[in-house]
Amino acid sequence: MNKKMYFNQPCRLTKRQSGGDNGTWERFGFPLGNGALGTMLGGEVFQEVIQFNEETLINGGPLPNQPYLHGNRENISPNLVEIQQLLLEGKQEEATELCKKHLVGLEEGYGAYQNLGELVIGYQYSETEVSEYRRELDLETAIHQVTFQVGENQVQRQSLISHPDHLFVEQVSSQENIDLFFCFQTEHPHHLEQTAQGFRVKGYLSDNHLQFALEVALDFSEGELILKDGGIRLRDCSEVTILVSAVTDYAPVFPTYRQELPLTRLEKRISQGQEFGFEKLKERHLIDYQNLFQRVTFELGEGSESSVDQIMKEGGLALTEMLYHFGRYLLITSSRPGGLPSNLQGLWNETNDPPWGSDYHLNVNLQMNYWGAAGGNLLETIDPLVDYVEHLREPGRLTAAAYHRIVSDEATPENGFIAHTQTTPFGFTGPGWDFEWGWSPAAIPWILDNLYDAYLFTLDQSYLEKIYPIMREATRFFEQALVYNPTDGYYYSAPAYSPEHGPITLGNVYEHSLIQQLILNTIASGKKLGLDSEKIRDWQNLAEQIRTEEIGEEGQLKEWFEETTFGSVEKFQTDHRHVSHLLGVYPMHRIQQEGSLSQAAEVSLIERGLGTTGWSMIHRGLIWARLGNGEKVAEIIALFFEKCLHENLFATHPPFQIDANLGYIALVQEALLQSQVGEVTLLPAVPPQWKQGKVKGFRGRGNLVLDFYWKNQGLQEVVIDGQAEDVVTITLPDDFENYQVIGGEVLTAKNKQLEVKFKNRQVSLVRK
Ligand code: FUC
């Protein structure tokens, strides 16, 4: 299948303007990345502008000469206790007033992800007539290629960003000799130093004095290099390789978040890159990238040879497939071990004032970025998320102390941490500066659900050992933070606020389902690791006393315990996009398809409708998939294609946010395969339009890898890789009698279900 995204025109990248113009950067640019270094390319002919990002170039955090408080106001806990008391007494209005006044954080130190700057390359050809133009991003190779003719001269540029060699690499080849001029522009204070083969830009962010350095080196065999103030000129050259790398002095180390600027590392990357040369760098890049990308096959049809904007306009199966591959591409290129996770825009940001600071939002966005990772066989991409959450613990303890008076000290060093809606790599864990969007104590339980779910995919004990202390500490926090209500004998999160809907209440389904699930996951993990046996009974008791999902009078799954009928609870924002009370269906597995809660979830989801924006549509699609409704999945995908995509297939909320791109991976997977440990369901919610298809390499929970194909909605064959002695219940799209089982012993067989024990490492089911 074709995995080349291409345009027939170059694009001058323009930035987003305030007032709604998206700019061409986010609509027509092609992104490259290695998890840490990112570029956006428009493939211009005469003046190429390559926009760079480095994932740690972020404002905020500790500033010189100013105390950094991680977003926390000090000593708020007496107000919190008062608010909780008011809520227990049913005095909601008074509680609300106090929440807005006290349960807010500080904006200082929040910061924003920055644009590093642009490498500008001016080209002088002997003529100006351009023909045969094409620029493409090949998802199979993660290489960007531009080809065109200027007059008779054939020109080609190939660019990539290598993860193993930490370099942006671009090879320019021209049939005729040309002149090139290179300079770097950035809005941050900087100066330029010339080096033997190029230049180095050293600068810093004015706001927090974070230092950065970027080096450009040229590798060429013939031509003349002239170093000029502010740039370099390369004369009479027919082939040059441009190497770029960048570093900052950020380090994920509380409380300074700094290291010495690693200039030696930068030098080494460049000199090693020069030694390797373009072909070797490309080879090393391909081995690394394709090891991840090629694990999965997903095909619905022939694909399309059209340009990407055309594919986007046509919608349909070619787009369905390409968007899936593009999603996996974006995940691989924005999230690699050793770095930061994928932020609100993944890795790519062209302004110094991006929406929401292009931060790490924990009320759905960061979670969604990783929903498809494990199922899409990209477990490595989750590593940065694990590190990120780990690094929230120390600052999160300060937030727990300031607002909840839950103090970690020498005697109880890991006594509980918390973070709210928006976080940054400088350990910004305080609540937002407005209560309505900024207070969200269930943020940590929610992101921990991602980490625990990744464990269920592999059942890897060493991974569980790594995440267990984080889960235990979060559980420890809620053991102390929940409020006992003597009137009904339940424990409540107070005050609670269903994301961006409100109102302020004593508990709600969103927070309680996540908190209870966290405790249950901690119990399961503790048992698995043989740890904390003396605590497990207490945790179990606590989990049982947390009020969770309930059905209302209209058959709906309630969002608030006070919600008798739809509309009986007055929301703060009526038309917001979150469906947080339905998290029990997706991403959690609390609500099974058969049963009254699942029907109630359906009633609630219907009330909310389908059409909304970016991530919210994807989330709704995922819930419909878990509810087993392929028609609704199809409807949502069609709407999403129509309303939420740019020409380069970036998802737009608006503005561009990567969550929906990455969430879409999960949606495709969830439509085709669902799993729990010991259970897989094949083709559970296939859109009727996906009449045939082939999948290879999807992962299922319980350490399974599945290949399957279907035709006319009928499953033809499935091959499941597991371990000898595994027992897996396989739910099929039709009667089990249609299938022959190879490599496994059938323990039970009933309607659409087969319980199979693996003889060796593989079981296949083939249509008779
Ligand atoms: C959440 C959403 C917004 C937006 C922001 C980044 O607060 O409710 O719609 O996606 O995150």
Side-chain angles (χ1 to χ4, degrees):
M1 181 241 150
N2 171 34
K3 297 199 190 91
K4 290 184 167 68
M5 293 168 57
Y6 73 90
F7 286 106
N8 289 320
Q9 314 81 30
C11 169
R12 212 184 126 248
L13 299 178
T14 62
K15 301 182 182 183
R16 177 187 302 128
Q17 301 297 318
S18 52
D21 176 4
N22 285 320
T24 58
W25 179 94
E26 73 170 62
R27 289 177 54 199
F28 298 99
F30 275 143
L32 290 177
N34 64 1
L37 187 69
T39 56
M40 195 67 100
L41 298 129
E44 288 160 283
V45 173
F46 298 100
Q47 192 188 55
E48 191 187 1
V49 178
I50 306 172
Q51 187 268 323
F52 278 85
N53 285 110
E54 204 288 339
E55 64 173 349
T56 62
L57 195 76
I58 310 171
N59 271 339
L63 315 179
N65 312 321
Q66 206 178 307
Y68 172 52
L69 298 173
H70 301 265
N72 303 321
R73 300 202 338 182
E74 284 169 304
N75 201 21
I76 300 294
S77 46
N79 306 111
L80 178 63
V81 172
E82 192 185 346
I83 290 164
Q84 291 174 333
Q85 195 50 43
L86 287 169
L87 285 169
L88 285 169
E89 289 165 15
K91 297 177 180 160
Q92 208 180 344
E93 258 174 51
E94 284 161 79
T96 300
E97 219 167 281
L98 292 183
C99 283
K100 290 186 182 175
K101 196 158 152 207
H102 299 295
L103 299 192
V104 288
L106 302 169
E107 194 170 348
E108 285 85 49
Y110 166 62
Y113 185 39
Q114 301 292 291
N115 173 11
L116 177 52
E118 293 94 23
L119 176 65
V120 182
I121 312 175
Y123 294 90
Q124 251 174 33
Y125 311 99
S126 54
E127 298 188 49
T128 54
E129 188 75 22
V130 181
S131 59
E132 309 286 322
Y133 182 91
R134 176 174 161 122
R135 65 184 166 109
E136 79 179 27
L137 174 64
D138 187 349
L139 303 177
E140 196 75 49
T141 59
I143 291 177
H144 182 265
Q145 179 165 294
V146 186
T147 45
F148 53 88
Q149 270 186 218
V150 198
E152 297 291 299
N153 183 16
Q154 184 84 38
V155 182
Q156 188 196 44
R157 296 183 207 139
Q158 283 189 67
S159 331
L160 58 94
I161 302 191
S162 160
H163 178 67
D165 293 313
H166 309 278
L167 284 169
F168 167 85
V169 187
E170 177 163 303
Q171 190 196 50
V172 181
S173 348
S174 160
Q175 266 175 347
E176 294 169 10
N177 284 3
I178 52 173
D179 288 355
L180 301 92
F181 178 75
F182 298 82
C183 66
F184 193 80
Q185 62 189 31
T186 174
E187 287 175 18
H188 307 297
H190 68 284
H191 68 275
L192 196 125
E193 294 163 7
Q194 288 175 344
T195 58
Q197 296 238 267
F199 57 84
R200 179 183 286 179
V201 180
K202 275 167 88 179
Y204 63 94
L205 303 183
S206 340
D207 155 272
N208 61 3
H209 288 211
L210 191 89
Q211 294 183 56
F212 65 83
L214 171 137
E215 187 154 335
V216 178
L218 305 181
D219 202 17
F220 54 96
S221 49
E222 49 162 349
E224 189 193 352
L225 186 73
I226 304 163
L227 303 174
K228 291 195 63 172
D229 281 348
I232 12 176
R233 193 172 286 284
L234 185 58
R235 274 238 191 80
D236 253 347
C237 173
S238 68
E239 189 166 287
V240 55
T241 300
I242 306 154
L243 305 177
V244 184
S245 197
V247 289
T248 76
D249 68 350
Y250 169 84
V253 181
F254 172 90
T256 59
Y257 296 97
R258 290 292 189 285
Q259 60 178 339
E260 202 175 310
L261 188 66
L263 289 174
T264 322
R265 199 185 305 159
L266 183 66
E267 267 164 34
K268 204 164 158 228
R269 289 174 184 173
I270 295 282
S271 60
Q272 208 182 66
Q274 286 170 320
E275 259 168 54
F276 283 144
F278 181 72
E279 289 307 324
K280 180 99 182 155
L281 286 167
K282 180 170 159 182
E283 188 189 315
R284 288 165 57 83
H285 158 75
L286 286 175
I287 292 170
D288 165 74
Y289 172 77
Q290 292 185 332
N291 166 42
L292 298 170
F293 186 79
Q294 292 183 338
R295 286 178 192 164
V296 163
T297 302
F298 166 58
E299 285 173 15
L300 294 176
E302 300 290 295
S304 163
E305 295 298 320
S306 301
S307 61
V308 60
D309 46 342
Q310 194 55 33
I311 292 180
M312 178 277 217
K313 275 190 205 114
E314 284 165 11
L317 296 184
L319 179 59
T320 310
E321 282 176 28
M322 191 161 267
L323 198 61
Y324 176 77
H325 298 301
F326 186 49
R328 285 184 79 252
Y329 168 83
L330 290 173
L331 184 57
I332 298 170
T333 51
S334 66
S335 189
R336 298 296 293 266
L340 291 171
S342 184
N343 66 31
L344 266 179
Q345 297 188 174
L347 176 63
W348 302 275
N349 163 39
E350 88 283 28
T351 78
N352 292 328
D353 184 22
W356 292 283
S358 191
D359 69 359
Y360 298 80
H361 244 66
L362 289 181
N363 71 358
V364 71
N365 318 87
L366 186 61
Q367 284 87 351
M368 183 174 284
N369 282 2
Y370 288 90
W371 282 345
N377 216 333
L378 292 174
L379 280 154
E380 298 86 339
T381 62
I382 300 173
D383 281 18
L385 185 66
V386 178
D387 294 344
Y388 186 77
V389 180
E390 172 66 41
H391 291 138
L392 291 178
R393 286 171 81 187
E394 276 193 272
R397 284 177 200 139
L398 301 180
T399 305
Y403 290 80
H404 285 84
R405 204 177 278 159
I406 293 174
V407 179
S408 295
D409 52 23
E410 260 175 48
T412 47
E414 298 182 4
N415 198 30
F417 75 108
I418 185 176
H420 290 269
T421 308
Q422 48 183 28
T423 62
T424 74
F426 294 112
F428 191 99
T429 46
W433 41 99
D434 282 326
F435 180 90
E436 285 85 356
W437 53 261
W439 180 266
S440 193
I444 289 294
W446 193 354
I447 200 71
L448 286 176
D449 184 68
N450 283 68
L451 302 196
Y452 183 68
D453 197 44
Y455 160 72
L456 295 178
F457 274 88
T458 59
L459 303 180
D460 174 356
Q461 178 105 352
S462 61
Y463 173 80
L464 189 63
E465 280 164 8
K466 195 167 166 191
I467 62 166
Y468 179 68
I470 319 179
M471 291 165 62
R472 179 178 50 195
E473 186 172 4
T475 293
R476 180 86 197 100
F477 172 85
F478 288 104
E479 271 184 290
Q480 301 164 82
L482 295 180
V483 178
Y484 182 69
N485 182 2
T487 342
D488 61 12
Y490 280 120
Y491 279 89
Y492 284 84
S493 171
Y497 198 87
S498 201
E500 297 183 70
H501 285 267
I504 291 167
T505 47
L506 182 66
N508 63 32
V509 171
Y510 158 69
E511 291 185 22
H512 284 202
S513 61
L514 286 166
I515 295 166
Q516 188 192 59
Q517 196 59 48
L518 162 72
I519 300 171
L520 296 174
N521 294 346
T522 309
I523 294 171
S525 310
K527 283 186 180 161
K528 186 84 202 164
L529 297 172
L531 294 170
D532 296 312
S533 50
E534 73 295 348
K535 291 295 301 172
I536 284 177
R537 190 79 297 245
D538 294 347
W539 291 340
Q540 193 67 49
N541 287 339
L542 179 61
E544 281 162 20
Q545 283 175 276
I546 296 176
R547 192 171 169 189
T548 58
E549 289 92 348
E550 290 176 3
I551 300 175
E553 285 171 23
E554 291 185 67
Q556 85 278 22
L557 200 140
K558 291 180 177 184
E559 186 159 358
W560 305 271
F561 302 119
E562 300 80 354
E563 180 189 339
T564 46
T565 54
F566 284 125
S568 59
V569 171
E570 205 179 316
K571 301 185 206 176
F572 162 72
Q573 256 184 282
T574 44
D575 56 352
H576 211 283
R577 305 165 282 273
H578 291 268
V579 280
S580 316
H581 52 317
L582 305 181
L583 298 180
V585 185
Y586 192 97
M588 292 183 281
H589 263 116
R590 297 167 60 82
I591 296 173
Q592 306 309 322
Q593 227 179 74
E594 287 84 34
S596 51
L597 280 177
S598 130
Q599 279 164 24
E602 192 162 325
V603 172
S604 292
L605 195 53
I606 289 171
E607 195 253 352
R608 283 290 168 85
L610 293 178
T612 141
T613 63
W615 57 259
S616 179
M617 282 216 215
I618 297 292
H619 192 191
R620 287 166 206 217
L622 281 160
I623 298 170
W624 277 119
R626 280 269 166 95
L627 295 173
N629 193 325
E631 278 86 13
K632 288 281 189 229
V633 172
E635 253 184 86
I636 290 226
I637 288 182
L639 263 177
F640 180 72
F641 286 177
E642 194 188 311
K643 289 175 60 178
C644 306
L645 288 180
H646 284 321
E647 289 82 346
N648 60 358
L649 305 193
F650 264 162
T652 172
H653 182 40
F656 157 52
Q657 272 180 214
I658 204 104
D659 38 30
N661 276 114
L662 303 185
Y664 177 81
I665 315 174
L667 180 54
V668 167
Q669 288 158 191
E670 210 63 29
L672 296 172
L673 171 71
Q674 292 176 18
S675 67
Q676 301 209 54
V677 176
E679 290 172 32
V680 295
T681 306
L682 288 149
L683 307 181
V686 198
Q689 295 82 345
W690 303 6
K691 293 201 164 48
Q692 55 179 21
K694 185 163 128 192
V695 161
K696 274 192 178 169
F698 277 13
R699 274 189 173 271
R701 291 175 185 80
N703 205 11
L704 305 175
V705 179
L706 294 96
D707 300 348
F708 51 94
Y709 76 99
W710 71 99
K711 244 184 356 206
N712 304 323
Q713 311 269 316
L715 180 70
Q716 302 298 307
E717 184 179 334
V718 54
V719 180
I720 310 178
D721 280 338
Q723 304 297 320
E725 308 287 305
D726 275 355
V727 174
V728 180
T729 301
I730 305 167
T731 303
L732 296 154
D734 52 6
D735 202 288
F736 78 89
E737 288 190 341
N738 293 320
Y739 300 89
Q740 182 195 350
V741 179
I742 304 162
E745 180 193 346
V746 176
L747 301 181
T748 61
K750 192 169 73 180
N751 305 327
K752 294 181 178 179
Q753 261 183 7
L754 283 172
E755 191 191 7
V756 178
K757 185 168 176 187
F758 280 56
K759 289 188 186 144
N760 286 306
R761 297 173 68 115
Q762 200 173 72
V763 163
S764 314
L765 270 60
V766 182
R767 198 168 195 95
K768 287 180 191 159

